[in-house]
Amino acid sequence: MTSLYDSLVRYKGGDSNDNDNNLTLTFDFGGICGAYESDPNNPEFNSETEWLSLCLGLSLNKQKVILMHPVAQLFLYLKWKKIRALLWLSILYHILWLTFYTYFNVNLYIALCPYQQTMPNSTDRKIHCDAWNQHSRLVVEISILLLMTISIALKEVYELHHSREFKMYFKAPENIGQWLVLGIVVLISITIFVADADEEKINLPEWQYQAAAFGILLSCFLCMCQIGKIPKFGIYMLILAKVVKSFAMFIITFAVILVAFMLSLQILMPEKDEFNDNPWSLIRLLSMMSGEINYDDLFHDQPDDIQLPFPISTKLLFAVFISIVTLILCNLLIGLTVSDIQSLQNDAALHSLSIQVEEIHLMESFLMSHSVQKLFRKFGKHSWLRYFLVTQHHDDSKTSQFQNMQVDVSIGEIPKYLRSKLKRLAAKNFHGYDSYDYGDECESNKDSCSASVKDSCSASVKETIEDDDKPEL
C-alpha cells in the first residue's frame, strides 16, 4: 500500500520556487477509493472510503502505515470538508434528543412527581402523582420524544444492517447505550399514555425512578460519545475509554486481594456492618483504596460496652491493607493510567484519522446507498450527491476510470503540514519521468513540457536529497 500511495501524486503545473500558490498537484485517488465500473444506462456514485474503512480492523501499527500516509491524509482532509456538515447535523440531532430526554425525566420525576416513600407492607408499589393538570402537556412532550426516538431507532437499525459483522455492532458501548435509552423511552411512554383519567392521577411504578436515574446518567455519557465523534475532541474520549478499560482489567486482576481483605475483616471485626454486607462491602474497600480509611471511626469510636475482639491483629491487618492496596496498588493504577494517556497522546493524529474514517464511511454508506440514490434520481437531483464526493466528477461515460479518479489540487488548498511531504513524493515521481503520463501539457511530446514544471521538479528533487539527512519533527 505504501508504494502504491507514493505513486498517486504528480506535478500538474506551476512553479514551486517563486510562488507556491501557482503550483498544482494531480492526485489519482483511485488507489485509495478503489476501482469500479459504472453502468452507463443507470450510473451510480460509489463509496470512496470503503477501502480505508477496512484498515480500522487492523492493528495500530498497520493503521499508522496506511492512514498516516500524506496522500491518505490529504484525501481524508478533502473528504471531511465535503461531509462534515452532515456529520455536525447528526451529532446535534443526537444531542438534542438526549437533552430533551433528560429534560423530560427531570420535569416528571423531580419537578412534578418526586418520589414518595410507600408503606413497607403495601402491595401497591406505585407512586400516585397529583399532577393531572399537567398530563396533556406530558403527553405532548412524550409524543415528541417518541418521534425523535423512532428516528434514532431507524438510524441504529440501518447501522446494524450495514455493519460488517453483527457482533461488531454490539462491541461498541455507545450502540448498546442507545438501545437502552430507546427501551426506557418506550416504557415511560406507556405509563403516560395509559394514565387513569377517572382517578385524575398519574401512576408511576417505583422502578421507573431507578430507570430515570440511570437513564439520565447514560444520556450524559452518550452526549460525550457524540462530542467524541468530532476528530479534535475524539482523542479525549479515547483516553477515557482506555483508562476505563485499564481500570477494569486492573480490578479484575487484583479482585482476589480485595476479597481476601474483605473476608479477613469480617472475621476480625464482626460488629462492623460495613464489612459484613456481602458483596457490597467491596464498595467500602474501594473507597478505602482511594484513601478514605476513617481510622478513628473504625478503632476509636466504639461504645464502652463494645470492644474489638482482636485489636492487635486487626490493626496489623489494616497496616498491611494500607501498604498493599492504598499505597502500592493505587499508585500502580495511577502510573498505568499516565502511561496509557501518554501513548494515546503520541498517536493522537492517528486516532483522529481513525475517527474521521469511521464517521465518514458510516455517513457515506448511507448517502451512496442504492435506495438513497434511487430516491434522488426519481426527483432529478441525483447530481447533488456529487457534492459529497472528492472524485467521480465526470458525466461522460467514455471517460476512463483512471481519469475519473484524478483530482487537481492547488498547493494552497493543501494543509501546511502536508505540503513538503507531498511535494517530495511528486518530485520522486517526476524523477522517473520516462514512465510518467504528463497529462494535457505533455500528451504529444514529453520535451514540450513547460520549463517551469521541469525547473520546479528539479529544484524539489534537489531539496528532497538535501532534506533526507534532516530529522523530521
Side-chain angles (χ1 to χ4, degrees):
M1 297 299 292
T2 303
S3 59
L4 173 63
Y5 285 4
D6 287 346
S7 65
L8 300 182
V9 54
R10 306 174 183 181
Y11 278 108
K12 173 74 173 181
D15 191 346
S16 63
N17 295 324
D18 298 329
N19 189 356
D20 274 346
N21 292 327
N22 294 328
L23 180 64
T24 301
L25 301 178
T26 297
F27 295 87
D28 173 25
F29 288 127
I32 292 179
C33 303
Y36 51 85
E37 293 184 2
S38 337
D39 183 2
N41 299 324
N42 192 19
E44 284 194 354
F45 299 117
N46 294 73
S47 174
E48 295 179 327
T49 54
E50 186 69 27
W51 279 19
L52 284 179
S53 66
L54 295 175
C55 74
L56 297 179
L58 303 177
S59 64
L60 198 63
N61 291 332
K62 293 180 180 179
Q63 288 186 35
K64 190 171 185 178
V65 173
I66 297 176
L67 297 182
M68 292 299 292
H69 193 281
V71 177
Q73 289 190 66
L74 177 65
F75 173 76
L76 289 175
Y77 172 78
L78 297 175
K79 191 69 178 178
W80 178 256
K81 289 176 63 177
K82 293 280 187 179
I83 212 166
R84 61 185 174 185
L86 290 180
L87 292 173
W88 272 104
L89 288 175
S90 175
I91 292 171
L92 291 176
Y93 185 74
H94 271 79
I95 293 178
L96 179 63
W97 170 61
L98 294 168
T99 303
F100 191 74
Y101 165 75
T102 302
Y103 161 77
F104 180 82
N105 281 338
V106 171
N107 183 42
L108 179 61
Y109 298 105
I110 296 179
L112 298 178
C113 302
Y115 180 78
Q116 300 174 358
Q117 188 70 40
T118 58
M119 298 298 294
N121 298 327
S122 176
T123 58
D124 186 8
R125 308 303 296 178
K126 292 184 178 181
I127 307 301
H128 303 283
C129 176
D130 296 326
W132 185 255
N133 58 332
Q134 298 291 328
H135 181 258
S136 57
R137 176 186 171 186
L138 291 174
V139 170
V140 173
E141 291 178 355
I142 198 64
S143 300
I144 297 174
L145 184 59
L146 266 179
L147 291 176
M148 299 178 70
T149 302
I150 291 172
S151 63
I152 297 294
L154 293 175
K155 171 184 172 295
E156 293 300 315
V157 170
Y158 179 83
E159 289 185 20
L160 179 60
H161 176 69
H162 284 77
S163 180
R164 289 192 176 88
E165 295 183 23
F166 184 80
K167 62 181 180 180
M168 291 295 295
Y169 174 84
F170 288 102
K171 279 187 177 181
E174 178 189 356
N175 296 332
I176 299 176
Q178 297 273 24
W179 284 109
L180 288 176
V181 174
L182 291 172
I184 293 174
V185 171
V186 172
L187 294 175
I188 291 175
S189 62
I190 294 174
T191 303
I192 300 299
F193 285 127
V194 300
D196 192 353
D198 296 333
E199 296 183 2
E200 293 188 351
K201 288 185 178 181
I202 302 175
N203 302 320
L204 302 176
E206 287 188 344
W207 63 264
Q208 282 195 8
Y209 288 84
Q210 302 176 58
F214 286 100
I216 290 176
L217 183 63
L218 184 58
S219 66
C220 292
F221 278 109
L222 291 177
C223 280
M224 292 173 56
C225 292
Q226 292 298 320
I227 296 174
K229 291 181 179 180
I230 304 172
K232 290 184 178 180
F233 301 130
I235 183 63
Y236 301 107
M237 285 302 301
L238 288 172
I239 289 175
L240 176 61
K242 182 68 174 179
V243 171
V244 171
K245 183 178 179 180
S246 298
F247 176 76
M249 297 300 295
F250 183 88
I251 292 298
I252 292 173
T253 304
F254 297 104
V256 63
I257 296 179
L258 297 178
V259 173
F261 276 109
M262 180 188 71
L263 298 176
S264 299
L265 290 171
Q266 287 180 3
I267 295 174
L268 297 179
M269 305 179 72
E271 76 286 351
K272 292 294 183 179
D273 295 334
E274 55 263 43
F275 297 124
N276 289 277
D277 184 16
N278 293 328
W280 303 111
S281 54
L282 283 173
I283 299 176
R284 170 62 174 164
L285 292 179
L286 286 176
S287 66
M288 293 171 63
M289 179 179 175
S290 64
E292 189 181 347
I293 304 297
N294 292 333
Y295 183 85
D296 290 335
D297 294 338
L298 292 173
F299 293 102
H300 301 295
D301 192 19
Q302 301 287 344
D304 295 336
D305 56 341
I306 299 179
Q307 298 296 328
L308 290 174
F310 312 102
I312 297 177
S313 299
T314 304
K315 292 180 180 180
L316 287 175
L317 183 63
F318 257 79
V320 175
F321 176 85
I322 293 173
S323 301
I324 295 179
V325 178
T326 305
L327 297 180
I328 297 177
L329 291 184
C330 188
N331 284 281
L332 175 61
L333 177 60
I334 294 174
L336 291 174
T337 302
V338 172
S339 177
D340 290 339
I341 293 175
Q342 288 179 342
S343 64
L344 285 173
Q345 287 178 333
N346 293 334
D347 295 327
L350 175 60
H351 291 297
S352 177
L353 291 173
S354 300
I355 294 171
Q356 277 188 332
V357 172
E358 184 177 5
E359 296 305 319
I360 291 174
H361 176 65
L362 183 62
M363 182 63 69
E364 192 181 45
S365 63
F366 169 73
L367 291 173
M368 302 305 157
S369 63
H370 176 73
S371 56
V372 172
Q373 294 199 56
K374 184 178 179 180
L375 180 64
F376 272 76
R377 190 181 295 107
K378 182 178 180 181
F379 292 98
K381 305 298 183 181
H382 184 252
S383 60
W384 287 10
L385 294 175
R386 186 181 289 116
Y387 173 80
F388 303 105
L389 299 173
V390 177
T391 62
Q392 309 173 57
H393 286 186
H394 296 277
D395 292 322
D396 186 5
S397 59
K398 297 181 180 179
T399 303
S400 67
Q401 176 66 33
F402 178 80
Q403 294 174 336
N404 197 31
M405 305 302 291
Q406 286 185 349
V407 177
D408 297 334
V409 183
S410 170
I411 197 68
E413 301 175 20
I414 300 176
K416 292 183 179 180
Y417 62 89
L418 292 177
R419 292 179 184 178
S420 61
K421 296 179 181 179
L422 292 174
K423 288 169 61 177
R424 188 177 305 164
L425 290 177
K428 290 180 179 179
N429 291 332
F430 180 84
H431 193 55
Y433 63 87
D434 289 338
S435 59
Y436 176 75
D437 179 11
Y438 290 87
D440 297 337
E441 293 178 290
C442 312
E443 269 187 15
S444 58
N445 187 358
K446 294 179 183 179
D447 296 332
S448 65
C449 293
S450 63
S452 61
V453 175
K454 284 193 172 183
D455 293 341
S456 172
C457 294
S458 301
S460 297
V461 171
K462 183 178 179 181
E463 180 184 353
T464 300
I465 296 174
E466 293 175 352
D467 289 345
D468 280 343
D469 297 330
K470 298 180 181 180
E472 291 189 10
L473 296 178

